[in-house]
Amino acid sequence: MSVAERDADSEKDGGKKAKKAKSGGGIGETLKVVIQALIIALLFRTFLYHPFNIPSGSMMPTLLVGDYLFVSKFSYGYSRYSFPVDLSFIKGRVWEGEGPQRGDIAVFRLPRDPGTDYIKRVIGMPGDRIQMRNGLLYINDEPVERERVEDYAGANAFGQEIEVAQYRETLPNGVSYMTLDLTQNGEKDNTGVYEVPDDHYFMMGDNRDNSSDSRFLNFVGYVPEENFVGRAEVIFFSVDEETHVWEFWRWPWSLRYDRLFEGL
């Protein structure tokens, strides 16, 4: 074999090795990027924002089935329930923020079943006296301002369109939101007085006649502060309740465009 032929073969072998190295390097870089992205997503999910989807109509009309939210974990500080696994050695809250405020929409762990997340509105603070009288909310024996507004167009359990009485409720600290009144003299339209214990909160759904909340003491009851996961901040995605989120081919018709990135 001549010198020229040997040089040609050497160049071919070198080219093959370079291609293999480039291929191996490309796969390695891709894996590195994927791992870094997963780590960032895990840190985001663990310490900053908890993604949460709305499974029921208990917070209508504020939140609808098919809404996807970001819940800020740092707003209230961190507790044993702030992380993907239960860190039972954490007592109370660490790096505590201002704490839940009246009117906040908050995600919390159900006291009787800490493995279940609930989302409701903070109505009663520690030491408050809460009562419902003829569908009107009282806080510390004072009626909460409530104004009748236009009916809400909804649907019943059979999919038939109905008009639901809707009210604008304004809490003593000025937080204002809409509530629904499906039926007069509903099960919890008249209650006794609830006295909120220290370090606990009274939670209610905006859909007053269709919400399992703190009015049901044996089911939800008063929520300990350490059970709070975080405060709902923004709707980042919303799709009608008849569409699964993974059915992306239906998004052009099923997305609720007016609800995307809506602050709460």
Side-chain angles (χ1 to χ4, degrees), residues 2 41 45-47 82 119 138 156 158 173-174 211-212 231 259 262:
S2 67
R45 166 69 173 78
T46 301
F47 295 104
S82 298
I119 185 166
Y138 282 72
N156 61 19
F158 303 100
N173 62 350
S211 175
S212 296
R231 183 177 64 203
R259 299 183 66 78
E262 180 179 333

Side-chain angles (χ1 to χ4, degrees), residues 17-219:
K17 290 179 181 178
K19 288 181 180 178
K20 288 182 179 179
K22 186 176 180 180
S23 175
I27 294 174
E29 285 300 316
T30 300
L31 289 175
K32 182 178 178 181
V33 170
V34 170
I35 291 172
Q36 289 175 340
L38 289 174
I39 291 173
I40 292 172
L42 180 60
L43 292 174
F44 182 89
R45 166 69 173 78
T46 301
F47 295 104
L48 298 179
Y49 290 96
H50 170 67
F52 186 86
N53 70 289
I54 302 302
S56 75
S58 68
M59 281 296 293
M60 292 174 61
T62 309
L63 298 175
L64 307 178
V65 176
D67 284 347
Y68 289 77
L69 322 176
F70 278 135
V71 176
S72 64
K73 292 189 171 186
F74 50 85
S75 296
Y76 303 145
Y78 301 91
S79 75
R80 59 184 291 186
Y81 299 119
S82 298
F83 306 99
V85 295
D86 183 0
L87 302 181
S88 56
F89 61 86
I90 296 178
K91 304 301 180 184
R93 306 196 80 86
V94 296
W95 298 316
E96 188 172 358
E98 63 178 359
Q101 301 297 302
R102 200 188 309 275
D104 284 358
I105 299 174
V107 172
F108 60 92
R109 295 293 181 90
L110 190 63
R112 71 180 186 88
D113 179 14
T116 300
D117 286 331
Y118 259 47
I119 185 166
K120 305 291 178 186
R121 190 180 297 276
V122 179
I123 296 296
M125 306 292 285
D128 279 348
R129 293 163 51 86
I130 307 296
Q131 187 177 20
M132 295 293 293
R133 303 180 195 170
N134 298 317
L136 184 61
L137 173 64
Y138 282 72
I139 299 178
N140 297 324
D141 302 315
E142 294 292 331
V144 169
E145 180 183 341
R146 188 172 78 151
E147 175 190 4
R148 178 68 184 268
V149 295
E150 71 282 358
D151 286 349
Y152 179 80
N156 61 19
F158 303 100
Q160 299 169 326
E161 292 189 4
I162 57 173
E163 300 291 321
V164 181
Q166 184 173 216
Y167 295 85
R168 177 178 293 279
E169 195 169 85
T170 303
L171 295 174
N173 62 350
V175 175
S176 182
Y177 49 88
M178 299 295 187
T179 66
L180 298 182
D181 187 8
L182 289 170
T183 59
Q184 292 185 349
N185 299 316
E187 181 180 2
K188 289 297 181 180
D189 278 352
N190 289 280
T191 70
V193 176
Y194 300 93
E195 297 187 2
V196 186
D198 291 342
D199 300 319
H200 288 68
Y201 295 83
F202 195 90
M203 313 296 292
M204 292 180 67
D206 293 347
N207 191 353
R208 291 291 162 78
D209 293 320
N210 188 25
S211 175
S212 296
D213 50 41
S214 292
R215 293 172 293 175
F216 297 85
L217 293 178
N218 293 330
F219 187 74

